[in-house]
Amino acid sequence: MAYDQDPPTQMLPTTQPGRHAAQGSSNRWLFGVIGGAAVLAIVLGILTGLLLSGGTPEPKQPVAGPTVAAEPTDEEVLEPTPEATEISPSPTRKPSPTPAKKTAAQLIAAARDLVASYDRADRIDGDAADTLDGDLRDLARNAASGRNRRAWSDLTDAARHLTRFHQEDQIGDREYQALNAALAEIAKVLPRT
C-alpha cells in the first residue's frame, strides 16, 4: 500500500480582516461588553450616591413587616423625602382623648331607654318591659340617694327578671343579650358600699 504524501486539499471559506469568522463569537463579545458596562454603571451609581450623601451610609433599622401608612389629617402634612430608598417611620396620629367614663346614672338611663325602645317596637312583652323599667327606676333612685345596698338589690332583681323573661320567651335573644350587657356595665360602676 502506498502512502500518499500530498493528500488533496479542500478549500476553506476565507474571512476578511475586521470581520469575525464565526457568528457565535460575535455574540459573546457583545454580551461581554454590555455586561461590563452594566457593572461599571452600578459601581459608578453607588459611588455617586455615597459622595452625594456625605460618606458612608448609616445603618438602617430593620423593618418588622409591611405597614399601612395612615392617611394624613389636616394637622399632618407629609413632605416628600429627598432619598426614595430610605425607610422613615410613618407619621402617627395623635391619640384620641379617652372617653369619659359614664356614671351609674347615665348607664341606668341608657338601659331604661333601651327597654322603652324595645317596648315601642314590640320586641319585648309589655308586662316584662314594665317590670324591668320599674327595677331600673328603683335602681336609679337608690343609687342617686347613696343607698348602695338597695341599689345592688335592685340591680340583682332586674337581672333575675330579665333572665326569667328570656326563659319564658317574653324577650328575644338579641334583646336579652343587649340588656344583659347594659346591666353588666352598670354593675362595673355601681359603688359597692
Side-chain angles (χ1 to χ4, degrees):
M1 175 179 246
Y3 178 77
D4 189 11
Q5 292 200 358
D6 211 5
T9 59
Q10 186 177 11
M11 291 276 294
L12 294 175
T14 60
T15 60
Q16 296 179 356
R19 292 193 176 216
H20 300 286
Q23 185 69 18
S25 66
S26 67
N27 287 343
R28 280 187 230 129
W29 179 82
L30 182 62
F31 289 131
V33 170
I34 292 173
V39 169
L40 182 63
I42 291 171
V43 169
L44 287 175
I46 292 172
L47 290 175
T48 304
L50 287 175
L51 289 174
L52 291 177
S53 68
T56 60
E58 294 182 21
K60 306 280 189 286
Q61 291 184 350
V63 178
T67 59
V68 177
E71 296 265 342
T73 62
D74 292 337
E75 300 167 359
E76 302 171 333
V77 178
L78 299 177
E79 296 292 325
T81 58
E83 204 172 330
T85 59
E86 186 174 315
I87 298 174
S88 61
S90 61
T92 57
R93 293 177 184 244
K94 294 178 182 176
S96 61
T98 317
K101 285 187 174 182
K102 292 187 176 183
T103 64
Q106 291 170 327
L107 292 172
I108 295 167
R112 289 185 75 187
D113 290 343
L114 191 58
V115 169
S117 71
Y118 288 158
D119 189 27
R120 283 191 303 271
D122 289 329
R123 294 170 65 184
I124 186 173
D125 181 73
D127 291 336
D130 290 342
T131 302
L132 289 173
D133 186 60
D135 291 339
L136 292 170
R137 183 184 59 243
D138 293 343
L139 171 61
R141 185 178 56 243
N142 287 323
S145 299
R147 294 186 294 261
N148 296 330
R149 291 179 84 177
R150 287 187 182 174
W152 274 100
S153 177
D154 295 332
L155 182 62
T156 303
D157 287 346
R160 188 171 36 85
H161 289 141
L162 179 64
T163 301
R164 188 183 86 218
F165 295 143
H166 181 248
Q167 290 171 347
E168 294 174 355
D169 292 327
Q170 293 179 334
I171 186 170
D173 290 336
R174 286 191 299 172
E175 293 78 13
Y176 168 77
Q177 290 172 357
L179 287 170
N180 197 32
L183 294 180
E185 288 298 312
I186 294 168
K188 289 179 185 176
V189 297
L190 194 62
R192 291 273 179 197
T193 57

